[in-house]
PDB file of all heavy atoms in Angstrom:
ATOM      1  N   ASP A 123     226.381 326.895 113.934  1.00  0.00           N
ATOM      2  CA  ASP A 123     225.828 328.226 114.087  1.00  0.00           C
ATOM      3  C   ASP A 123     224.667 328.272 115.180  1.00  0.00           C
ATOM      4  O   ASP A 123     223.696 328.736 115.051  1.00  0.00           O
ATOM      5  CB  ASP A 123     225.129 328.725 112.812  1.00  0.00           C
ATOM      6  CG  ASP A 123     226.306 329.335 111.793  1.00  0.00           C
ATOM      7  OD1 ASP A 123     227.338 329.633 112.389  1.00  0.00           O
ATOM      8  OD2 ASP A 123     225.962 329.388 110.546  1.00  0.00           O
ATOM      9  N   ALA A 124     225.019 327.465 116.249  1.00  0.00           N
ATOM     10  CA  ALA A 124     224.068 327.333 117.256  1.00  0.00           C
ATOM     11  C   ALA A 124     224.086 328.453 118.291  1.00  0.00           C
ATOM     12  O   ALA A 124     223.264 328.584 119.215  1.00  0.00           O
ATOM     13  CB  ALA A 124     224.275 326.098 118.010  1.00  0.00           C
ATOM     14  N   ILE A 125     225.094 329.327 118.225  1.00  0.00           N
ATOM     15  CA  ILE A 125     225.080 330.436 119.187  1.00  0.00           C
ATOM     16  C   ILE A 125     224.773 331.774 118.519  1.00  0.00           C
ATOM     17  O   ILE A 125     225.190 332.088 117.463  1.00  0.00           O
ATOM     18  CB  ILE A 125     226.572 330.606 119.734  1.00  0.00           C
ATOM     19  CG1 ILE A 125     227.030 329.244 120.374  1.00  0.00           C
ATOM     20  CG2 ILE A 125     226.628 331.733 120.811  1.00  0.00           C
ATOM     21  CD1 ILE A 125     228.388 329.143 120.849  1.00  0.00           C
ATOM     22  N   VAL A 126     223.833 332.480 119.118  1.00  0.00           N
ATOM     23  CA  VAL A 126     223.295 333.703 118.587  1.00  0.00           C
ATOM     24  C   VAL A 126     223.652 334.897 119.529  1.00  0.00           C
ATOM     25  O   VAL A 126     223.953 334.673 120.658  1.00  0.00           O
ATOM     26  CB  VAL A 126     221.771 333.769 118.440  1.00  0.00           C
ATOM     27  CG1 VAL A 126     221.432 332.842 117.340  1.00  0.00           C
ATOM     28  CG2 VAL A 126     221.106 333.486 119.708  1.00  0.00           C
ATOM     29  N   GLY A 127     223.865 336.164 119.027  1.00  0.00           N
ATOM     30  CA  GLY A 127     224.285 337.193 119.712  1.00  0.00           C
ATOM     31  C   GLY A 127     225.161 338.121 118.988  1.00  0.00           C
ATOM     32  O   GLY A 127     225.990 337.695 118.172  1.00  0.00           O
ATOM     33  N   ALA A 128     224.922 339.412 119.195  1.00  0.00           N
ATOM     34  CA  ALA A 128     225.784 340.433 118.546  1.00  0.00           C
ATOM     35  C   ALA A 128     226.793 340.927 119.391  1.00  0.00           C
ATOM     36  O   ALA A 128     226.840 340.523 120.609  1.00  0.00           O
ATOM     37  CB  ALA A 128     224.786 341.498 118.079  1.00  0.00           C
ATOM     38  N   ALA A 129     227.773 341.735 118.916  1.00  0.00           N
ATOM     39  CA  ALA A 129     228.855 342.311 119.779  1.00  0.00           C
ATOM     40  C   ALA A 129     228.312 343.096 120.944  1.00  0.00           C
ATOM     41  O   ALA A 129     227.365 343.890 120.783  1.00  0.00           O
ATOM     42  CB  ALA A 129     229.669 343.202 118.873  1.00  0.00           C
ATOM     43  N   LYS A 130     228.907 342.818 122.077  1.00  0.00           N
ATOM     44  CA  LYS A 130     228.382 343.569 123.314  1.00  0.00           C
ATOM     45  C   LYS A 130     226.944 343.155 123.699  1.00  0.00           C
ATOM     46  O   LYS A 130     226.365 343.866 124.564  1.00  0.00           O
ATOM     47  CB  LYS A 130     228.672 345.013 123.325  1.00  0.00           C
ATOM     48  CG  LYS A 130     230.103 345.304 123.173  1.00  0.00           C
ATOM     49  CD  LYS A 130     230.527 346.687 123.488  1.00  0.00           C
ATOM     50  CE  LYS A 130     232.007 346.924 123.385  1.00  0.00           C
ATOM     51  NZ  LYS A 130     232.411 348.178 123.130  1.00  0.00           N
ATOM     52  N   GLN A 131     226.473 342.116 123.152  1.00  0.00           N
ATOM     53  CA  GLN A 131     225.199 341.658 123.611  1.00  0.00           C
ATOM     54  C   GLN A 131     225.388 340.288 124.257  1.00  0.00           C
ATOM     55  O   GLN A 131     226.173 339.472 123.704  1.00  0.00           O
ATOM     56  CB  GLN A 131     224.232 341.522 122.460  1.00  0.00           C
ATOM     57  CG  GLN A 131     224.041 342.732 121.669  1.00  0.00           C
ATOM     58  CD  GLN A 131     223.241 343.786 122.347  1.00  0.00           C
ATOM     59  OE1 GLN A 131     222.257 343.587 123.000  1.00  0.00           O
ATOM     60  NE2 GLN A 131     223.644 345.126 122.312  1.00  0.00           N
ATOM     61  N   ILE A 132     224.510 339.902 125.187  1.00  0.00           N
ATOM     62  CA  ILE A 132     224.665 338.577 125.754  1.00  0.00           C
ATOM     63  C   ILE A 132     224.332 337.444 124.787  1.00  0.00           C
ATOM     64  O   ILE A 132     223.357 337.611 124.091  1.00  0.00           O
ATOM     65  CB  ILE A 132     223.783 338.353 127.015  1.00  0.00           C
ATOM     66  CG1 ILE A 132     224.227 339.341 128.236  1.00  0.00           C
ATOM     67  CG2 ILE A 132     223.759 337.058 127.496  1.00  0.00           C
ATOM     68  CD1 ILE A 132     223.279 339.470 129.322  1.00  0.00           C
ATOM     69  N   HIS A 133     225.241 336.456 124.604  1.00  0.00           N
ATOM     70  CA  HIS A 133     224.926 335.431 123.631  1.00  0.00           C
ATOM     71  C   HIS A 133     224.130 334.324 124.332  1.00  0.00           C
ATOM     72  O   HIS A 133     224.007 334.212 125.461  1.00  0.00           O
ATOM     73  CB  HIS A 133     226.285 334.778 123.269  1.00  0.00           C
ATOM     74  CG  HIS A 133     227.240 335.769 122.589  1.00  0.00           C
ATOM     75  ND1 HIS A 133     226.800 336.924 122.160  1.00  0.00           N
ATOM     76  CD2 HIS A 133     228.549 335.632 122.354  1.00  0.00           C
ATOM     77  CE1 HIS A 133     227.828 337.670 121.564  1.00  0.00           C
ATOM     78  NE2 HIS A 133     228.860 336.838 121.680  1.00  0.00           N
ATOM     79  N   ASN A 134     223.552 333.682 123.325  1.00  0.00           N
ATOM     80  CA  ASN A 134     222.695 332.420 123.818  1.00  0.00           C
ATOM     81  C   ASN A 134     222.843 331.298 122.908  1.00  0.00           C
ATOM     82  O   ASN A 134     223.190 331.373 121.766  1.00  0.00           O
ATOM     83  CB  ASN A 134     221.249 332.962 123.918  1.00  0.00           C
ATOM     84  CG  ASN A 134     220.464 332.275 125.119  1.00  0.00           C
ATOM     85  OD1 ASN A 134     220.834 331.124 125.449  1.00  0.00           O
ATOM     86  ND2 ASN A 134     219.533 332.917 125.553  1.00  0.00           N
ATOM     87  N   VAL A 135     222.487 330.060 123.411  1.00  0.00           N
ATOM     88  CA  VAL A 135     222.664 328.846 122.656  1.00  0.00           C
ATOM     89  C   VAL A 135     221.303 328.400 122.312  1.00  0.00           C
ATOM     90  O   VAL A 135     220.377 328.277 123.028  1.00  0.00           O
ATOM     91  CB  VAL A 135     223.356 327.737 123.558  1.00  0.00           C
ATOM     92  CG1 VAL A 135     223.488 326.500 122.697  1.00  0.00           C
ATOM     93  CG2 VAL A 135     224.634 328.258 123.945  1.00  0.00           C
ATOM     94  N   ILE A 136     221.117 328.115 120.984  1.00  0.00           N
ATOM     95  CA  ILE A 136     220.038 327.443 120.438  1.00  0.00           C
ATOM     96  C   ILE A 136     220.010 325.914 120.712  1.00  0.00           C
ATOM     97  O   ILE A 136     220.811 325.254 120.126  1.00  0.00           O
ATOM     98  CB  ILE A 136     219.776 327.736 118.990  1.00  0.00           C
ATOM     99  CG1 ILE A 136     219.725 329.204 118.662  1.00  0.00           C
ATOM    100  CG2 ILE A 136     218.460 327.041 118.387  1.00  0.00           C
ATOM    101  CD1 ILE A 136     219.851 329.482 117.136  1.00  0.00           C
ATOM    102  N   ARG A 137     219.141 325.456 121.705  1.00  0.00           N
ATOM    103  CA  ARG A 137     219.211 324.136 122.083  1.00  0.00           C
ATOM    104  C   ARG A 137     219.203 323.170 121.018  1.00  0.00           C
ATOM    105  O   ARG A 137     219.964 322.086 120.900  1.00  0.00           O
ATOM    106  CB  ARG A 137     218.090 323.897 122.955  1.00  0.00           C
ATOM    107  CG  ARG A 137     218.291 324.343 124.376  1.00  0.00           C
ATOM    108  CD  ARG A 137     217.245 324.017 125.268  1.00  0.00           C
ATOM    109  NE  ARG A 137     217.521 324.366 126.678  1.00  0.00           N
ATOM    110  CZ  ARG A 137     217.026 323.962 127.725  1.00  0.00           C
ATOM    111  NH1 ARG A 137     216.059 322.973 127.618  1.00  0.00           N
ATOM    112  NH2 ARG A 137     217.251 324.346 128.925  1.00  0.00           N
TER     113      ARG A 137
END
Side-chain angles (χ1 to χ4, degrees):
Chain A
D123 279 343
I125 304 176
V126 291
K130 297 197 177 159
Q131 306 288 321
I132 293 170
H133 297 344
N134 215 331
V135 179
I136 302 171
R137 282 186 173 195

